[in-house]
Amino acid sequence: MRKQIAAANWKMNLTIAQGEALLDGIIAKPHHLKPEQLVVFAVPFPYLAMAQQKIAGKQNVFIAAQNCYSKKSGAYTGEVSVEMLQSLGIKWVVLGHSERREYFAESNQFLAEKINIALEFDIQPIFCCGEPLSIREAGTQNEFVTKQLEESLYHLSADQLKKVVIAYEPIWAIGTGKTATSEQAQEMHAHIRAELAKKYGKEVADEITILYGGSVKAANAKEIFGQPDVDGGLVGGASLIIDEFVAIIEGLK
Ligand code: PGA
């Protein structure tokens, strides 16, 4: 059975004291996670060690970095390596978020390098893909997302791909309050799974967790996560509010 994940993306928000209070508040609530359900908090780099300590001993709860660099180590001032993440015990990293692609010019090719180094260090990537509004309006979103998968993931072996979680995040739905309808999410998730099946076979494609991201909140999580090919969500704004995120976790199938 493939994993379902409620992933929080704090982005560049919160002081460390606010982050601690948020984690404490969420962890203190009762959760009813099934064995295949995970909760992941993608926190800013300076909070990774604090967050890792807070979740110590918690079943099915993990901390993720929001990014990493493509090189092992060296003269890359200001960057963070996967080896550093590994040394903190971090098991997950978000790669290719649309904000990284847009503001920091991260290309599909560059992301392929980051995927490789993350896997080399046993850190599971949450690989983000998704189209801008102009592409959605032109009706070419499927081709757009296929190209992102091809250029960043298709060099992987099936065993490597199985360690990758895909997050479909239509850019027009991120932080805008404009959620894709559950039908739109399902349609794209089914497309992604069908493309993966073409390349890697149905059995492998069926094992890949595909998250939806873009204005997920307590009020819509259950319906979106209820779609057959939607295996949870990557959540920005609503992950900063204790009760919202707890309800989103409870919205997993
Ligand atoms: P949002 O962000 O939930 O605030 O739309 C989602 C994301 O960017 O991962």
Side-chain angles (χ1 to χ4, degrees):
M1 192 178 240
R2 62 176 175 256
K3 281 192 212 78
Q4 293 171 46
I5 304 178
N9 177 11
W10 289 5
K11 308 194 181 185
M12 197 176 75
N13 291 301
L14 309 176
T15 63
I16 191 160
Q18 290 168 333
E20 285 188 89
L22 179 59
L23 275 178
D24 283 339
I26 294 169
I27 289 168
K29 302 265 176 174
H31 298 200
H32 310 97
L33 293 175
K34 296 180 190 155
E36 70 278 12
Q37 296 178 332
L38 310 184
V39 178
V40 176
F41 295 93
V43 309
F45 288 132
Y47 307 164
L48 285 170
M50 171 280 286
Q52 190 72 351
Q53 273 188 342
K54 289 256 178 231
I55 57 117
K58 299 267 175 246
Q59 286 266 306
N60 292 13
V61 182
F62 296 92
I63 301 302
Q66 296 176 11
N67 184 26
C68 68
Y69 196 49
S70 58
K71 304 276 192 246
K72 214 177 259 187
S73 63
Y76 302 101
T77 303
E79 291 298 319
V80 172
S81 72
V82 281
E83 196 171 31
M84 294 172 185
L85 300 179
Q86 190 189 48
S87 71
L88 287 169
I90 300 297
K91 295 277 180 212
W92 291 87
V93 63
V94 176
L95 291 177
H97 190 281
S98 61
E99 288 147 19
R100 299 291 322 165
R101 293 172 184 267
E102 184 181 347
Y103 306 134
F104 304 96
E106 295 196 4
S107 65
N108 292 339
Q109 289 73 18
F110 185 44
L111 290 168
E113 290 177 35
K114 292 190 179 195
I115 295 271
N116 290 345
I117 197 145
L119 291 174
E120 192 185 322
F121 280 80
D122 249 344
I123 295 182
Q124 288 192 251
I126 297 177
F127 173 76
C128 304
C129 57
E131 78 288 354
L133 185 59
S134 57
I135 296 287
R136 172 63 63 164
E137 283 174 350
T140 53
Q141 63 274 9
N142 286 3
E143 293 78 358
F144 185 91
V145 169
T146 299
K147 190 162 187 274
Q148 291 179 317
L149 302 177
E150 278 170 359
E151 295 185 352
S152 297
L153 299 182
Y154 277 20
H155 62 286
L156 299 175
S157 68
D159 281 343
Q160 287 175 314
L161 185 82
K162 284 188 206 167
K163 302 205 174 95
V164 177
V165 164
I166 295 174
Y168 168 61
E169 300 203 304
I171 298 170
W172 46 272
I174 295 179
T176 56
K178 206 175 174 186
T179 327
T181 62
S182 48
E183 291 77 26
Q184 283 172 321
Q186 168 56 25
E187 211 176 289
M188 178 58 85
H189 283 226
H191 167 72
I192 291 172
R193 209 177 297 287
E195 288 296 309
L196 295 176
K198 265 197 243 165
K199 168 81 181 162
Y200 291 95
K202 187 172 178 326
E203 211 173 304
V204 173
D206 280 343
E207 275 188 49
I208 307 295
T209 296
I210 309 177
L211 309 179
Y212 169 79
S215 299
V216 172
K217 44 187 185 282
N220 59 23
K222 210 174 172 59
E223 189 191 332
I224 297 173
F225 299 170
Q227 299 300 311
D229 285 294
V230 179
D231 308 312
L234 179 58
V235 186
S239 77
L240 303 175
I241 304 162
I242 296 172
D243 290 344
E244 278 284 313
F245 194 62
V246 169
I248 289 166
I249 296 170
E250 296 297 328
L252 292 171
K253 288 196 235 324

